[in-house]
Amino acid sequence: MGMVGFTVALMVIGVIISPCVHGNEFSDHKEIEVERLLKRLNKHALISIKSEDGDIIDCVPIHSQLAFDHPLLKNHNIQMRPNIIRESTSTYTKNYINVTQAWHKKGICPENTVSIRRIKKEDILRSNFIENFGKKMTPGILLYGSSSVHEYAVMNCKKGKYFGTKFAVNIWKPKVQVPNEFSLAQTWLSSGVGTNLNTIEAGFQVLPSLYGDNNLRLFVYWTADNYQKTGCYNTNCPGFVQTSNRITVGGTFKSVSKYDGIQIAVLVMIWKDGDYWWLQINKELVGYWPAKLFSSLGKGATEVLWGGEIVNEKTGGKHTSTDMGSGHFADEGHRKASYFRNIMTVDKTNTLREPQGVYPTVTNDNCYNIKEGRNGTSWGFNFFYGGPGLNAKCP
């Protein structure tokens, strides 16, 4: 139907629609909604630091951060330190250098503030729906089936009762083929099933759709309802309470491991201390998830996982070439493949123990694989993982 016929047809039913006008009205409405969201998410900063990677880090008074907009955290008594510090002065911790994020080149935030990555207009506009900004769009931890675009190489711990985990991971800057894909290395602590799934997650990711670049970044995540309405990445919604003025969740890492070269390993610890799940990176207490955010994790986790995950969009009908970890298979070993080492779990007596009943889950070992390392070494329980994706055996 031509434009004249289209207009006449609309006039017959008494309506004339101007696509341009309606488009502008929609655009204006969206613009207003985005500005409202930005005003709600970005709290007043004492000072702001422009990072060389394009981020703006806002130094927000610790009591003013977004976390306390959560209805369950009204009148919350901020915890500055846990009652139990996990080996913060041990020789094990001393083996790790201070984590350097890109924004540190311009300084750090003052005491009694927290370093928050400012959310920009373009960050929100990259989201499919404004109301879903900062959230995962697919429910579940391990997503299988022919329709799933998620692929994994992870180690699972047998079901039990867990109150934390501790490990070292060498960090890389994996190549991500297209913006809607990602690559990450993380740990999951979870409890509950179905819509009652609760998770606490932390690790390192390249996620262009969230950050607008291909930098490696520290991230945290949480959900209390299987990724439906609760939780989000980092400090993009109320929930996770940041306490650090030095480490920014969502911040870029300046140094990463090099193939057959220097290995940058980061020590990650998550543990339950009373009513709070704490996160520590090397020696720095980053923040915590209050147990009251959850329906079941407040009583401890029943599962713990560690490893890598990617998204495969099958661009052009082929498997993605997105790297997992270093982009090299586990068989290549130290200095070439990605690893998790000195893996421990925290039991009900608050004791660190090597995990028992550990088993691997791999989506397609021709694309990405996993290999348990030798025990009885200074590396404790460890494994290598990763891969290049697209190759002769992974078309």
Side-chain angles (χ1 to χ4, degrees):
M1 180 184 293
M3 181 55 71
V4 174
F6 178 69
T7 303
V8 170
L10 290 174
M11 289 177 67
V12 168
I13 60 173
V15 179
I16 298 180
I17 297 176
S18 170
C20 293
V21 172
H22 280 253
N24 290 337
E25 287 177 356
F26 174 79
S27 178
D28 291 344
H29 177 72
K30 187 173 183 180
E31 185 87 16
I32 292 170
E33 289 299 308
V34 169
E35 291 301 326
R36 283 177 180 169
L37 183 57
L38 287 171
K39 188 174 182 179
R40 190 164 72 245
L41 296 179
N42 292 319
K43 300 300 184 181
H44 173 72
L46 292 184
I47 64 171
S48 297
I49 299 172
K50 179 70 181 294
S51 175
E52 63 184 10
D53 65 349
D55 282 355
I56 297 174
I57 304 301
D58 287 329
C59 302
V60 177
I62 191 168
H63 291 84
S64 301
Q65 62 182 290
L66 181 64
F68 305 126
D69 285 1
H70 196 290
L72 294 176
L73 300 182
K74 298 295 183 184
N75 303 313
H76 176 74
N77 184 23
I78 297 177
Q79 309 297 299
M80 294 307 298
R81 296 181 66 80
N83 293 316
I84 299 174
I85 305 293
R86 297 246 67 99
E87 299 188 24
S88 60
T89 59
S90 71
T91 54
Y92 178 66
T93 309
K94 291 177 182 178
N95 291 332
Y96 298 90
I97 62 172
N98 289 330
V99 176
T100 301
Q101 291 187 310
W103 67 276
H104 291 167
K105 189 174 181 179
K106 300 291 182 68
I108 61 170
C109 286
E111 294 296 322
N112 300 316
T113 69
V114 288
S115 52
I116 304 294
R117 178 182 181 269
R118 183 184 299 179
I119 298 165
K120 301 176 184 178
K121 178 179 177 179
E122 52 266 34
D123 294 331
I124 296 174
L125 292 177
R126 281 192 301 272
S127 180
N128 290 335
F129 301 98
I130 293 176
E131 61 271 23
N132 291 329
F133 169 71
K135 296 180 181 294
K136 293 186 180 182
M137 300 306 297
T138 48
I141 297 181
L142 300 183
L143 306 169
Y144 301 116
S146 58
S147 62
S148 176
V149 296
H150 294 253
E151 297 187 20
Y152 305 88
V154 301
M155 283 289 184
N156 310 255
C157 207
K158 69 176 182 180
K159 287 194 175 183
K161 204 68 172 177
Y162 302 101
F163 297 87
T165 183
K166 174 180 178 180
F167 58 88
V169 57
N170 61 341
I171 59 174
W172 302 79
K173 186 180 178 181
K175 173 179 62 67
V176 172
Q177 182 179 335
V178 295
N180 286 337
E181 296 180 341
F182 66 69
S183 181
L184 61 76
Q186 73 165 87
T187 186
W188 297 257
L189 295 101
S190 69
S191 64
V193 295
T195 57
N196 294 316
L197 176 69
N198 291 201
T199 75
I200 283 173
E201 306 172 33
F204 309 90
Q205 66 184 180
V206 175
L207 179 52
S209 62
L210 182 61
Y211 305 106
D213 59 34
N214 288 70
N215 292 324
L216 180 74
R217 296 171 179 270
L218 171 68
F219 81 93
V220 299
Y221 200 92
W222 69 276
T223 181
D225 61 358
N226 196 18
Y227 307 97
Q228 299 298 314
K229 295 181 179 180
T230 64
C232 63
Y233 280 109
N234 307 328
T235 52
N236 292 347
C237 71
F240 180 79
V241 179
Q242 187 165 315
T243 58
S244 177
N245 64 333
R246 295 174 177 269
I247 299 298
T248 300
V249 290
T252 297
F253 283 86
K254 190 174 181 182
S255 301
V256 296
S257 300
K258 304 296 183 184
Y259 181 77
D260 205 20
I262 188 172
Q263 300 297 291
I264 306 297
V266 178
L267 178 64
V268 179
M269 293 182 280
I270 299 174
W271 73 101
K272 189 173 185 293
D273 182 83
D275 292 327
Y276 311 97
W277 287 89
W278 280 90
L279 170 67
Q280 183 169 319
I281 301 295
N282 288 353
K283 296 181 181 181
E284 183 75 10
L285 289 167
V286 178
Y288 58 88
W289 297 266
K292 63 173 61 177
L293 294 174
F294 306 100
S295 58
S296 58
L297 261 177
K299 300 176 183 177
T302 56
E303 292 186 89
V304 189
L305 298 85
W306 312 264
E309 177 185 359
I310 65 96
V311 160
N312 173 25
E313 290 285 353
K314 303 176 184 175
T315 304
K318 295 181 179 180
H319 192 283
T320 183
S321 60
T322 286
D323 294 335
M324 181 185 289
S326 69
H328 292 262
F329 286 113
D331 315 71
E332 294 195 39
H334 185 42
R335 292 166 61 90
K336 297 178 180 179
S338 303
Y339 65 70
F340 281 70
R341 65 180 175 94
N342 298 105
I343 301 170
M344 308 283 278
T345 58
V346 181
D347 70 11
K348 63 182 179 182
T349 67
N350 231 340
T351 303
L352 283 164
R353 300 185 183 278
E354 284 200 352
Q356 302 297 312
V358 179
Y359 60 95
T361 297
V362 179
T363 308
N364 186 340
D365 60 11
N366 288 323
C367 307
Y368 312 100
N369 68 354
I370 195 166
K371 182 179 181 181
E372 187 174 335
R374 291 188 299 113
N375 289 325
T377 69
S378 61
W379 280 35
F381 180 76
N382 65 92
F383 64 86
F384 293 92
Y385 74 97
L390 181 67
N391 66 80
K393 293 184 179 180
C394 177

